[in-house]
Amino acid sequence: MASIIDGKARAQQLRQSVAEKTRELKDRTGVTPGLAVVIVGDDPASQVYVRNKGKQALEAGFESFTHTLPAETTEAALLDLVDQLNRDDRVHGILVQLPLPDHIDEQRVINRISPDKDVDGFHVENVGKLVIGADGFVPCTPLGCWMMIRESVESLSGLNAVIVGRSNIVGKPMAFLLLREHCTVTIAHSRTQALDELCRSADILVAAVGRPGIIQGDWVKPGAVVIDVGINRVTDDSGKSRLTGDVDFDGAVERAGHITPVPGGVGPMTIACLLSNTLKSATRAAGQE
Ligand code: NDP
């Protein structure tokens, strides 16, 4: 039976540590970390994320700046706002909530954010730094996964890591983080053949697909670390809606060594890592790193 990784408790610990370091930074330098979150349009899920980010930023002792723009905002107007935030010394982290409306080029907007304030780690410069092993901002979801994996195994060196999903925000950065740890990394995707066999070879298995239960319990190698990034809303037989991951948890928990639940695993770590990245940016801006 696997040990269940408590992402909620781990995230709370990280938030507390960020809050303590924030107090120290303020006392030492007078600098208060500032996080600006920009949301375009009225997607209800995005609004919930943005509210949570703002609330947790304030709880950590940060300044929080939320910019809510209408869905019909032009790309030029959004780029102007990003320029303004880049120049604003009170702002150390800028996050543009994705997805953006179709008429706006997401990558162009992300690449307009100063790489020094790109706390989401999506700017091409930070992506490049991750690939070459330089110190930049790492995307928050894979960063949280990496922390939980590191705390579950003594040494990652030489282990087989299989990441299912190759998105720019989860799968690819996860692969480079584990490569940095000297894992032998395989990235699987929708064209991968014999996914079950591949998963059975994984000492570290990360599922970031967005399909409920795609990873079956008997695909898990005994003793493996299983990180379930998937967040899927499903309706059960009684008509009740609930969140579930990409991994068949009940089957996998019997075989894995360590496993994250959904909810309560990867999810809570994401915003905590965003705060941690913003503190890192503010610490650098204050010349303390
Ligand atoms: P994307 O839709 O961008 O990527 C999904 C990936 O899964 C793609 O690479 C796709 O392959 C692959 N895939 C699809 N079907 C299969 C299949 N049958 N077999 C193998 N691979 C397949 O999703 P994201 O990376 O943005 O998110 C993945 C999941 O993680 C979602 O459930 C999302 O909600 C969740 N998530 C959770 C976060 C959190 O906890 N905070 C943050 C971000 C995401 P291909 O490239 O070939 O299409």
Side-chain angles (χ1 to χ4, degrees), residues 116 124-137 180 284:
D116 295 333
V124 71
E125 187 175 314
N126 283 313
V127 176
K129 283 184 169 170
L130 177 60
V131 173
I132 65 167
D135 183 27
F137 288 113
R180 212 189 245 191
R284 278 185 182 164

Side-chain angles (χ1 to χ4, degrees), residues 141 165-167 169-170 189-190 208-211 214 229-231 266-267 270:
T141 298
R166 57 173 163 180
S167 71
I169 62 169
V170 190
H189 46 78
S190 65
V209 180
R211 288 185 176 215
I214 184 175
V229 184
I231 301 178
V266 173
T270 298

Side-chain angles (χ1 to χ4, degrees), residues 1-3 217-218 220-223 248-257 259:
M1 192 79 163
S3 120
D218 66 353
V220 171
K221 179 175 173 177
D248 162 28
F249 184 84
D250 292 342
V253 75
E254 298 291 333
R255 294 167 67 92
I259 187 167

Side-chain angles (χ1 to χ4, degrees), residues 10-37:
R10 182 63 188 88
Q12 196 191 354
Q13 215 180 30
L14 181 56
R15 286 198 307 269
Q16 260 167 16
S17 146
V18 168
E20 272 161 35
K21 288 181 185 151
T22 296
R23 266 197 303 276
E24 284 166 23
L25 182 71
K26 278 190 202 174
D27 288 349
R28 229 180 16 249
T29 66
V31 171
T32 300
L35 174 65
V37 181

